[in-house]
Amino acid sequence: MAKSKNCRNIYSLIGGICALSLAMGISRFGFTPIIPLMQRDIGITEWDIAVMASANYLGYLIGAYISRKKWIRKHLRTWLGAGLVTSIILLIGMPLTLNDLLWTLLRLGSGFLSAILFVVASSVTLGQGRSDWAGYLYSGVGIGIAFTGIFVPIFDSIGGWKTTWLGLALGGSVFGILAWYTLAKVSYSEAGDSGQIRSENDFVRDYKWYVLLTSYGLEGIGYIITATFIVQMIKSMPELSHIANQSWVLIGLAAAPSTYLWARIAKKTSIKASLMLAYGMQALGILLPVIIPNQVSTLAGGALFGGTFMGITSLSITLAYQMKPEAQIQAIGELTTIYALGQIIGPIIAAYLQKNFDMLAPSLFAVVTLLIALLVLMTLKINKKGDDV
């Protein structure tokens, strides 16, 4: 019996990693390295990019909000299967049209399913008393990003932006099939345990929960500018344009093991201390290329950014599990919602700053936001297990 349970846990972990690789790393962040290709091949404008990015953020916000609903939690297996298949279809759809409105709708759907699959994969994989596996699970996002960084230039050399989208759909299909094969039975079992679906009235929001929500929302504002536009920004600088793709690969390669490493750091110190360190390092990673604009600082900044943004997600969700063991899906859904809201607010403020000040202002704004998140976390009084002290 114990061996069977261990196998099921391992399967769910592999499936969760694959689901996040597709839903987040490829379907969501795959747009970032393709932006310069679409500008080069078909001349999409800054406005087109901003609209598609905003649609994706809005879809993610809607998906995160809906994921807290009972009718999602009761049908995890259905949402898992539909989400995986539709995510691939949306990737295939991008090169089949040149219509701006259809592109916007496709990116909206992609963002929506990214959030749904994020919450479903998290709840299925970690919801069996394995919140300590968060460090492994969220490496899937980095694996997906690294996949896009390595294969986008290859697909581009074969057939430009259209082949690149189709290539990502093909790679995403492999992750999707593995995710379905390994997660489907587990998700059925999770959804079938209706006893675990509790009333939303059981979800109590206290001071420490609001502190976590605030800091994580600020992270959503601070990280999104770099995560979405870094390749485009580096390509716009002649002295650094040749390392734009390498910096994206580096972010993915740094993100993949980072969640495990941050889990180890948290075990030796505490989640609060680890989160504060991660926020500080991410702020430094964004600041480095601004104050020292050369190749080394840009790559070092990319490594620091890649090595922290999924670590902060992993640590925050682990802390949420510790704070709300009785309502874990609601906790993930609420955290993901505030994060998504930050992702919508961040670019709006960044665009205003860039227009009225200079191109460095958004990065400086992101750094300040992350430092405020760090200060907010300092007010949290908890022990290693997330209990009050």
Side-chain angles (χ1 to χ4, degrees), residues 36-185:
L37 311 185
M38 295 178 74
Q39 287 179 307
R40 179 201 64 199
D41 292 350
I42 51 177
I44 63 168
T45 65
E46 299 289 338
W47 172 253
D48 294 330
I49 296 167
V51 170
M52 283 190 277
S54 298
N56 193 261
Y57 305 147
L58 178 61
Y60 194 83
L61 174 63
I62 296 170
Y65 179 77
I66 288 178
S67 67
R68 300 180 304 164
K69 302 298 181 185
K70 280 185 180 178
W71 46 272
I72 294 280
R73 307 201 299 273
K74 282 183 177 177
H75 304 285
L76 292 179
R77 190 169 187 262
T78 301
W79 280 100
L80 174 70
L84 292 171
V85 171
T86 309
S87 292
I88 295 165
I89 292 173
L90 294 178
L91 287 170
I92 295 172
M94 285 299 287
L96 299 182
T97 180
L98 292 176
N99 184 288
D100 295 350
L101 178 59
L102 287 179
W103 277 340
T104 301
L105 292 175
L106 289 170
R107 295 308 296 162
L108 180 75
S110 172
F112 174 79
L113 292 173
S114 293
I116 293 288
L117 287 174
F118 182 87
V119 175
V120 169
S122 298
S123 61
V124 172
T125 304
L126 305 180
Q128 305 171 64
R130 297 313 308 251
S131 61
D132 56 322
W133 277 6
Y136 301 104
L137 173 66
Y138 297 114
S139 67
V141 180
I143 291 171
I145 291 175
F147 176 88
T148 65
I150 293 170
F151 285 97
V152 162
I154 296 173
F155 296 140
D156 179 40
S157 67
I158 296 172
W161 74 281
K162 285 190 173 184
T163 302
T164 304
W165 278 113
L166 295 176
L168 292 189
L170 179 63
S173 300
V174 175
F175 285 112
I177 290 169
L178 286 172
W180 175 254
Y181 179 75
T182 49
L183 272 185
K185 287 185 179 177

Side-chain angles (χ1 to χ4, degrees), residues 282-292 363-364 367:
Q282 186 172 110
L284 179 63
I286 296 173
L287 191 61
L288 263 181
V290 174
I291 58 175
I292 311 174
S363 295
L364 295 175
V367 169

Side-chain angles (χ1 to χ4, degrees), residues 131 208 266-267 269-272 318-325 380-389:
S131 61
K208 62 181 183 180
K267 187 170 283 187
T269 56
S270 69
I271 293 181
K272 175 187 169 183
T318 302
L319 185 54
Y321 264 71
Q322 291 182 356
M323 288 182 176
K324 306 293 177 188
L380 197 59
K381 299 185 184 304
I382 55 171
N383 59 23
K384 276 192 170 187
K385 294 182 178 179
D387 298 325
D388 294 320
V389 294

Side-chain angles (χ1 to χ4, degrees), residues 35 40 182 196 210 315 326 337 339 357 373:
I35 288 174
R40 179 201 64 199
T182 49
Q196 295 184 5
Y210 283 118
L315 291 170
E326 77 288 352
T337 301
Y339 192 69
F357 295 92

